[in-house]
Amino acid sequence: MREANFLRYANNVVARMEENVSLFPDCEPPLSVLKGTLHRLSRAMAEAQFRDMRCVAIKNQLLRIHKEQLYRLSLYIAQVAQGDPWIILSAGFATNKPYATIGAAPKPHNLRVQVQMQRPGCVRCRVDVWKKATGCRFEYRKVGDVLWNILFTTKSSCEISGLQSLEQHEFRVAYTSSNPTITYSSVVSCYVV
């Protein structure tokens, strides 16, 4: 988190804690300590903008101290909240998004196989991007073979080499995700140079 964003986040935490002080009677560190450090940090950040090395060192020290204080406060809030997102939000902290499972990956569209004329036995495969994919599973085989060769990649394109020249090959692709179901694209056939 950038320093300016951290300062806004910290200000929000202190403001929410002041508004809901009755929910957190024995907060650790105390709210007065948090406010004091935050005030000194705000001043130090303003002074450090002029690149005075002494001011930058003071700002960095106060930033480290305030981060430690917010971390200790977050442990206290977690203990009080017992997982209740309303209490966590009342303290000004952000809650984690609940884990959402994705269904089966969709059928990949627009599989393109480009023969590399300068490199015998080599093709370049690409498919449209699906943002939720962790990668792609490209498969290929010579026409007539039963088994597919598999190539995993984290990108939506790959280069396949070592193919037999002047032979027809088949290619297909599937997106990989947290769901183990495999949905293949349509098969694309082409002759390899």
Side-chain angles (χ1 to χ4, degrees), residues 14 36 43 50 60 76 84 87-88 93 111-112 124 143-144 148 151 159 169 182 186:
V14 169
R43 275 198 348 242
F50 300 109
N60 289 341
Y76 168 79
D84 185 345
I87 294 176
I88 295 169
F93 286 95
L111 173 60
R112 300 167 307 277
R124 181 140 187 89
V143 171
W148 290 87
L151 176 67
E159 193 167 272
H169 288 77
I182 298 174
S186 300

Side-chain angles (χ1 to χ4, degrees), residues 27-102:
C27 73
E28 177 55 37
L31 192 54
S32 59
V33 172
L34 286 170
K35 285 173 61 175
T37 307
L38 185 58
H39 178 70
R40 290 194 320 271
L41 176 61
S42 297
R43 275 198 348 242
M45 286 177 77
E47 292 170 1
Q49 289 179 343
F50 300 109
R51 305 267 187 224
D52 178 3
M53 293 307 291
R54 182 180 149 282
C55 292
V56 170
I58 291 170
K59 175 207 52 144
N60 289 341
Q61 181 182 17
L62 286 169
L63 192 61
R64 183 182 47 77
I65 290 169
H66 199 59
K67 283 182 179 179
E68 289 172 4
Q69 289 175 346
L70 279 184
Y71 176 71
R72 286 192 359 243
L73 179 65
S74 73
L75 296 177
Y76 168 79
I77 298 300
Q79 186 178 29
V80 170
Q82 297 292 310
D84 185 345
W86 181 84
I87 294 176
I88 295 169
L89 292 170
S90 296
F93 286 95
T95 59
N96 292 335
K97 292 181 180 176
Y99 177 75
T101 59
I102 331 174

Side-chain angles (χ1 to χ4, degrees), residues 144-158:
D145 286 353
V146 177
L147 300 176
W148 290 87
N149 298 300
I150 302 170
L151 176 67
F152 287 99
T153 179
T154 57
K155 300 179 181 177
S156 61
S157 65
C158 73

Side-chain angles (χ1 to χ4, degrees), residues 111-130:
L111 173 60
R112 300 167 307 277
V113 180
Q114 181 182 11
V115 176
Q116 303 292 305
M117 299 303 254
Q118 310 86 347
R119 300 181 56 206
C122 186
V123 296
R124 181 140 187 89
C125 298
R126 65 181 57 230
V127 67
D128 289 348
V129 174
W130 179 52

Side-chain angles (χ1 to χ4, degrees), residues 168-189:
Q168 188 176 18
H169 288 77
E170 296 176 316
F171 303 89
R172 66 184 183 184
V173 65
Y175 296 120
T176 57
S177 68
S178 57
N179 188 314
T181 307
I182 298 174
T183 308
Y184 289 106
S185 67
S186 300
V187 175
V188 174
S189 299

